[in-house]
Amino acid sequence: MINFYALDSKLSIGEEMMSVLDEIREIMEDHDLEVTLNKNMVIGLHSSVPIVLKVYVGRRKASIELEAEEDLRDVLDELVESGEDIESLVDDVLSELRDVAIEIGRALENKGYRVELNLREGENDVRDIVEEVTEEYEEILEEELGISEEEF
């Protein structure tokens, strides 16, 4: 005997995909990320610094990545010049985004998706940028103000 109710309640592949994308969007918005949907990808931009979490969703597979936006270096330059501790700030942002990625990963796994967390490369790229900006700022202080690294 065919259960017609069960057939009617099944979501089409497109509807299921939209449901999953909406759930990812909601999780990101709950963590105050600025969200953009782009076909089968959800992008969440952090409000403090231009670092994004990208979630690619396919058929029963998902990949979560972290990436620096093109203007990250410029934003960090401005922040370090204003006296902001950019290492601490970026560490906090990366930690927040990692937590969001884990939450999204669990939600997807609960729906039967195989999830790949690919955060390390993006985190390393961001940390490299922070290190470069910090070193450049220290060099400028040494040259212009005669302040040594120990005094900084």
Side-chain angles (χ1 to χ4, degrees):
M1 181 170 204
I2 297 175
N3 182 344
F4 288 102
Y5 178 74
L7 290 175
D8 288 341
S9 67
K10 281 275 197 193
L11 295 175
S12 72
I13 292 172
E15 290 170 327
E16 181 182 338
M17 176 71 77
M18 285 309 298
S19 170
V20 168
L21 295 175
D22 283 339
E23 185 171 349
I24 295 167
R25 179 188 48 77
E26 287 175 14
I27 292 170
M28 287 183 172
E29 287 176 348
D30 287 347
H31 291 276
D32 298 324
L33 300 181
E34 184 181 312
V35 180
T36 307
L37 288 172
N38 185 0
K39 295 184 183 178
N40 65 333
M41 179 174 43
V42 185
I43 302 167
L45 173 65
H46 198 277
S47 60
S48 298
V49 289
I51 301 173
V52 295
L53 196 60
K54 291 185 175 183
V55 182
Y56 303 91
V57 180
R59 289 186 184 229
R60 296 287 161 213
K61 282 179 30 178
S63 174
I64 304 174
E65 299 176 1
L66 194 139
E67 191 175 290
E69 291 282 83
E70 289 181 20
D71 60 339
L72 177 62
R73 180 181 301 280
D74 295 336
V75 170
L76 292 177
D77 280 337
E78 290 175 18
L79 288 171
V80 77
E81 287 174 12
S82 69
E84 186 76 41
D85 179 357
I86 60 171
E87 286 184 45
S88 178
L89 173 67
V90 169
D91 282 345
D92 290 346
V93 168
L94 292 175
S95 177
E96 287 175 39
L97 292 174
R98 178 173 281 283
D99 290 346
V100 174
I102 291 168
E103 184 177 340
I104 290 169
R106 286 188 182 133
L108 290 170
E109 286 172 348
N110 289 339
K111 290 186 174 293
Y113 281 78
R114 192 176 77 236
V115 179
E116 292 180 13
L117 283 177
N118 299 316
L119 306 177
R120 185 152 308 181
E121 184 178 336
E123 287 177 345
N124 289 340
D125 291 345
V126 168
R127 291 183 199 286
D128 288 346
I129 293 169
V130 169
E131 186 177 326
E132 290 169 12
V133 168
T134 302
E135 287 175 0
E136 289 170 8
Y137 189 67
E138 288 172 353
E139 287 175 13
I140 290 170
L141 286 179
E142 285 180 28
E143 289 174 11
E144 291 183 3
L145 305 175
I147 298 175
S148 69
E149 194 171 316
E150 291 79 32
E151 294 171 298
F152 178 69

